[in-house]
Amino acid sequence: MNNFKYRNPTKILFGKGQIENLATEIPADAKILMLYGGGSIMKNGVYEQVKKALSDYKVVEFGGIPANPEYSVLVDALKVIKEENITYLLAVGGGSVIDGTKFLSAAALYEGETPWELLTNKKPVTEGMPFGTVLTLPATGSEMNSGSVITRAETKEKLAFGGPGMFPQFSVLNPEVIKSIPERQIANGITDAFTHVMEQYMTYPIGAKLQDRFAESIMQTLVETAPAIMKDPSDYEAASNFMWSCTMALNGLIQQGVPGDWAIHSMGHELTAMYGIDHARTLAILAGNHYRYNFETKKEKLAQYAERVWNITEGSLEDKAQAGIKKTEEFFKSLGIDLKLSEYTENYSETGSTVAERFIERGWNGLGEHKTLTPTDAQKIIEMSY
């Protein structure tokens, strides 16, 4: 197991009725900017609950943060922060709203030429305006980590940033909100969380037995819970396990002491930036072929995964590893997710070469756990996924 340092300062308020405790978490003299997305919180009761809980505060609202939070929209929100002398940010939404709020937290204190440099200079952010979250869509784990991904439509880029200053101070997780989420978004959330775990697990054995078991238990829980939550989002037990699994999948715990891959995400972000495909679905498109292409370096963990998550015990190591890939794709398909890029766009023929060129321009010459996956390799994996 590798050396590691681990600290997660985010306080979690989990369960029914937790929104009413917002006032106990935010300083009494704070002037709050409440950020949200397309307005679903107006329909599911969350907006009213938040406003009631913050009735003694000065609250300014900013809605309309889109899925894949858009830089130009966030720049407008940044102007509000400065004009209104905001001192505290509250994200009420899913991963996109929370990621956008993290960007604003950093940008509010940034003294450089343009806030986009937060995405391009690759320096960890150590300080930001304080913020909390009310999670309405489980998927990304952004409610309990320090990472963020921002999209810029004018350049068709989707880039990540983060740092120790980007943890939410608190996050409210009420599984009751899931009952109002469309089936497509629930399927996306399951797929996103499952792939988050695989990115941190599907590498090579390093003797981190507890970390492996943590990761496997999250994947097992998602597999077990998926049919129930897809059938009935109002099933509170299923919703609770789904929501907490999504948070645990990317709150930093299972990545401690082990190598990480993240090449699937690097490639997937490009598909979203180019075609607007749902983030989770880009991961599903690429995952199986990524594992096939890198089979020799990943087959030991693939076989272990097949045994422990899918109960596949027959055959050679290679047989089990291949079966693990097949089971993964069958799982995504069971959620109603298409696994070919051509099922999302007709303009796919140059995608692989375009992504490779972008990686070369950025100097991304070695991705994956071994830092050996080249832009040419990425091109081949994407072309396998047409």
Side-chain angles (χ1 to χ4, degrees), residues 306-335:
E307 290 180 354
R308 296 183 181 180
V309 176
W310 298 107
N311 299 313
I312 296 169
T313 57
E314 300 296 325
S316 65
L317 183 144
E318 287 77 10
D319 291 338
K320 286 183 282 190
Q322 292 285 4
I325 297 173
K326 183 179 179 181
K327 281 289 189 179
T328 304
E329 293 188 324
E330 289 175 352
F331 178 52
F332 294 154
K333 287 180 180 178
S334 75
L335 302 173

Side-chain angles (χ1 to χ4, degrees), residues 56-109:
D56 293 332
Y57 289 85
K58 294 179 181 179
V59 180
V60 178
E61 298 179 24
F62 187 94
I65 295 177
N68 304 306
E70 166 57 37
Y71 177 69
S72 63
V73 175
L74 297 174
V75 169
D76 290 339
L78 183 59
K79 294 175 184 175
V80 174
I81 290 172
K82 295 182 181 297
E83 291 170 359
E84 297 286 344
N85 297 313
I86 298 297
T87 63
Y88 203 97
L89 306 176
L90 181 66
V92 184
S96 293
V97 174
I98 298 171
D99 278 14
T101 301
K102 289 178 179 178
F103 172 80
L104 292 171
S105 169
L109 303 185

Side-chain angles (χ1 to χ4, degrees), residues 70-314:
E70 166 57 37
Y71 177 69
S72 63
V73 175
L74 297 174
V75 169
D76 290 339
L78 183 59
K79 294 175 184 175
V80 174
I81 290 172
K82 295 182 181 297
E83 291 170 359
E84 297 286 344
N85 297 313
I86 298 297
T87 63
Y88 203 97
L89 306 176
L90 181 66
V92 184
S96 293
V97 174
I98 298 171
D99 278 14
T101 301
K102 289 178 179 178
F103 172 80
L104 292 171
S105 169
L109 303 185
Y110 186 66
E111 296 180 351
E113 183 175 340
T114 169
W116 187 247
E117 292 170 351
L118 291 163
L119 284 298
T120 59
N121 64 19
K122 296 300 180 182
K123 295 179 181 178
V125 180
T126 58
E127 185 180 12
M129 180 174 288
F131 70 98
T133 90
V134 177
L135 181 66
T136 64
L137 179 61
T140 69
S142 191
E143 67 275 4
M144 200 180 177
N145 66 40
S146 61
S148 171
V149 182
I150 304 299
T151 298
R152 192 170 188 177
E154 64 176 309
T155 56
K156 292 189 175 181
E157 291 178 282
K158 184 173 181 179
L159 301 177
F161 84 105
M166 291 291 96
F167 282 100
Q169 291 191 333
F170 69 87
S171 287
V172 175
L173 278 59
N174 179 358
E176 290 180 307
V177 303
I178 293 170
K179 63 188 177 185
S180 64
I181 299 173
E183 183 180 279
R184 179 186 181 91
Q185 295 303 325
I186 293 176
N188 283 351
I190 295 167
T191 302
D192 200 4
F194 198 88
T195 313
H196 285 160
V197 179
M198 290 197 296
E199 291 273 47
Q200 300 164 90
Y201 171 91
M202 204 69 74
T203 55
Y204 55 89
I206 197 170
K209 295 183 178 181
L210 184 59
Q211 300 302 77
D212 279 358
R213 294 293 190 186
F214 280 151
E216 290 154 2
S217 69
I218 296 170
M219 290 187 284
Q220 288 172 321
T221 303
L222 288 168
V223 169
E224 182 179 337
T225 302
I229 196 66
M230 291 289 286
K231 180 180 179 181
D232 181 12
S234 65
D235 180 335
Y236 185 79
E237 180 177 316
S240 298
N241 283 295
F242 167 46
M243 179 173 269
W244 190 228
S245 292
C246 290
T247 300
M248 290 295 292
L250 199 57
N251 67 358
L253 178 62
I254 66 171
Q255 74 182 30
Q256 303 307 317
V258 300
D261 186 343
W262 299 108
I264 297 172
H265 273 69
S266 295
M267 293 182 285
H269 287 166
E270 300 305 317
L271 302 188
T272 297
M274 292 169 69
Y275 304 117
I277 303 169
D278 298 6
H279 169 63
R281 292 169 191 252
T282 69
L283 306 180
I285 290 168
L286 296 164
N289 289 323
H290 177 62
Y291 297 141
R292 290 186 184 96
Y293 187 84
N294 296 286
F295 186 79
E296 286 302 315
T297 60
K298 291 180 179 289
K299 62 184 180 182
E300 291 182 72
K301 288 301 287 285
L302 278 164
Q304 178 179 298
Y305 158 77
E307 290 180 354
R308 296 183 181 180
V309 176
W310 298 107
N311 299 313
I312 296 169
T313 57
E314 300 296 325

